[in-house]
Amino acid sequence: ATFSTNSAILFEPTWGISRGTCTPPIPSNTRSPSQAAQVPQVSRKPSVDTSKQPFITKWTLGPSETITLPVYRGGEYNFAVDWTSDGTPDGTVTSYKDADAVSPLLGAGTHTVTIVGDLEGWNFSHESTSGLLITDVAQWGDVQLGNDFGYFLNTANLQVSASDAPDLTSITTLEGMFLSSTSLANPDFSSWNTGTITNFSSMFRDA
């Protein structure tokens, strides 16, 4: 068969053509480093230690309010957060700037938040956004507070109903722990092991 030089091209390979030449795609195992770098990489968070006892808190929100967990630069984090305590994690926090450390809109009312995994560093003196929204520590679980000032600073609506005790064995200070937690009423901390604590200054000042 013969084709006129004025005939339209009836077929073009879909994977690339230059005039007179067809260039198939480069197999992934033969790509140059610069080409391989262009392939998007899927970021995966590390698995969470679900054998840890949960840290359970309660927060009272208005209709347009969200919860910002008081995690901060210098803390160590790898925990799952369940914003509604329905047994299904809603996110995993692996750093102080992780987007999963902020809740979605949950609606007006009191919400129970469950945290499971490694949490070392909980401090409202560093991250105070939701300090007035937390209303109860219902269970300490395996939370590690860090070793700093003001863990629950200015949490003016806080109660502590937890019957267990936080693990304080890795810290030496409780300074300002409940400073200006003005709603704290006769909490029972008699089971707390404070053998490593050397600084109790202002722990309950103005509480």
Side-chain angles (χ1 to χ4, degrees):
T2 60
F3 297 90
S4 166
T5 55
N6 295 322
S7 297
I9 296 174
L10 301 180
F11 171 76
E12 291 185 357
T14 58
W15 31 258
I17 184 169
S18 60
R19 193 175 295 274
T21 354
C22 296
T23 307
I26 304 171
S28 59
N29 61 351
T30 61
R31 287 174 178 159
S32 70
S34 61
Q35 291 169 322
Q38 298 173 14
V39 179
Q41 300 297 314
V42 177
S43 175
R44 298 184 183 277
K45 291 187 175 182
S47 59
V48 169
D49 183 356
T50 56
S51 69
K52 300 276 188 176
Q53 290 298 306
F55 176 45
I56 303 173
T57 52
K58 295 183 180 181
W59 310 69
T60 299
L61 308 181
S64 61
E65 290 178 312
T66 59
I67 300 167
T68 299
L69 298 177
V71 294
Y72 60 93
R73 182 192 296 271
E76 300 273 341
Y77 307 109
N78 185 30
F79 62 82
V81 57
D82 179 356
W83 295 112
T84 57
S85 289
D86 62 359
T88 302
D90 297 303
T92 303
V93 176
T94 57
S95 78
Y96 76 98
K97 58 184 178 180
D98 200 310
D100 285 340
V102 180
S103 76
L105 283 172
L106 299 172
T110 299
H111 301 273
T112 301
V113 176
T114 299
I115 288 172
V116 175
D118 296 308
L119 191 171
E120 184 177 346
W122 175 274
N123 199 302
F124 284 97
S125 74
H126 290 286
E127 173 48 73
S128 61
T129 303
S130 298
L132 296 179
L133 303 180
I134 187 169
T135 55
D136 188 29
V137 175
Q139 180 172 298
W140 292 105
D142 286 324
V143 63
Q144 300 282 318
L145 297 172
N147 196 37
D148 208 337
F149 166 87
Y151 306 114
F152 290 90
L153 178 70
N154 293 326
T155 52
N157 298 306
L158 179 70
Q159 295 286 339
V160 178
S161 65
S163 59
D164 63 336
D167 181 0
L168 306 176
T169 56
S170 63
I171 67 175
T172 60
T173 182
L174 295 179
E175 182 181 8
M177 181 170 185
F178 297 109
L179 179 61
S180 296
S181 298
T182 53
S183 295
L184 199 62
N186 302 315
D188 181 8
F189 297 152
S190 59
S191 65
W192 287 26
N193 179 0
T194 58
T196 61
I197 306 301
T198 59
N199 187 353
F200 294 91
S201 177
S202 301
M203 181 177 176
F204 295 106
R205 182 179 176 183
D206 298 329

